Amino acid sequence: MSFTMLGISGSLRAASTNTALLRACQGLMPEGAELVLLEYGDLPLYNGDLETEGPPPAVARVRQAIRDADALLFATPEYNHSISGVLKNLIDWASRPAFQSSLVGTPSGMLSAAPGAVGGARAQQHLKPILLSGMVPIFPGPEVVVNHVGDKLEGDVVTHEATAAFLTKYLADFAAWTKVQPTP
Ligand SMILES: Cc1cc2nc3c(=O)[nH]c(=O)nc-3n(C[C@H](O)[C@H](O)[C@H](O)COP(=O)(O)O)c2cc1C
């Protein structure tokens, strides 16, 4: 049976290192699992009024993609010691209706990449309670923090061997963990 992880980058820019990290992960997935990347640059800013006549098409598409996924893999940049506004906006849309949203019960993992020494670790600490508020289980494995990312990624390839090995093990352990979570 195929297992689909949905990769969600918190950065929309074409040269995003977080998106590149997810693309690199596509080549490191365990057997039987695939990672597809979510496109969501067309989402409007959250406005509850837009829900009244049914969600905008981009919102409906994103919610369906999350529903169709077996697991979510976030790659978050760190913006001012937190997650990016676009990622928070996506999660806000996806989290409605509360307690019955597409997010509820969908297992998640997270990565972060940044040029600095902290590697986005502070953003991960903000992402966790946000996901928990949407009733999203979080893989309690080791944190994947790719600091000094410019030295470790070339294009969509992780050139730093220890990082590639760590990511490969993380993806395998995360995929295995999702299988013991209750079905959403
Ligand atoms: C608005 C903004 C705030 C940022 N704040 C932080 C920060 O708090 N900590 C950090 O390590 N990097 C910070 N950065 C630098 C980002 O880590 C860097 O731009 C990174 O490449 C963004 O991820 P991306 O390559 O996936 O777009 C910030 C960048 C922007 C644009």
Side-chain angles (χ1 to χ4, degrees):
M1 197 175 75
S2 83
F3 174 88
T4 303
M5 233 180 243
L6 185 66
I8 302 177
S9 170
S11 173
L12 299 180
R13 70 191 186 98
S16 162
T17 53
N18 283 278
T19 307
L21 190 59
L22 286 175
R23 289 206 200 98
C25 287
Q26 288 178 312
L28 304 174
M29 294 293 282
E31 210 177 310
E34 62 165 357
L35 176 63
V36 295
L37 269 53
L38 182 70
E39 302 282 343
Y40 66 95
D42 54 344
L43 272 187
L45 288 177
Y46 184 81
N47 178 343
D49 292 346
L50 299 179
E51 296 266 24
T52 47
E53 296 194 3
V59 173
R61 182 180 52 77
V62 160
R63 287 177 176 165
Q64 192 56 48
I66 291 172
R67 273 189 208 289
D68 290 344
D70 296 301
L72 308 175
L73 182 62
F74 292 90
T76 181
E78 183 168 299
Y79 279 8
N80 300 314
H81 295 191
S82 186
I83 66 169
S84 62
V86 294
L87 180 56
K88 181 62 162 57
N89 185 57
L90 163 71
I91 295 171
D92 288 343
W93 275 118
S95 69
R96 308 307 288 178
F99 312 117
Q100 299 159 42
S101 81
S102 55
L103 289 172
V104 172
T106 309
S108 73
M110 67 182 72
L111 325 168
S112 59
V118 180
R122 290 169 294 219
Q124 291 200 31
Q125 292 310 312
H126 280 197
L127 182 54
K128 287 175 187 175
I130 293 167
L131 292 177
L132 290 176
S133 85
M135 301 169 76
V136 179
I138 301 168
F139 177 48
E143 278 151 336
V144 184
V145 171
V146 182
N147 64 0
H148 304 302
V149 65
D151 301 337
K152 294 174 180 169
L153 261 184
E154 268 177 38
D156 296 343
V157 177
V158 181
T159 49
H160 187 260
E161 265 180 45
T163 301
F166 195 79
L167 271 171
T168 304
K169 179 161 174 22
Y170 177 88
L171 292 167
D173 291 350
F174 172 44
W177 173 79
T178 63
K179 302 204 173 113
V180 298
Q181 295 303 299
T183 311

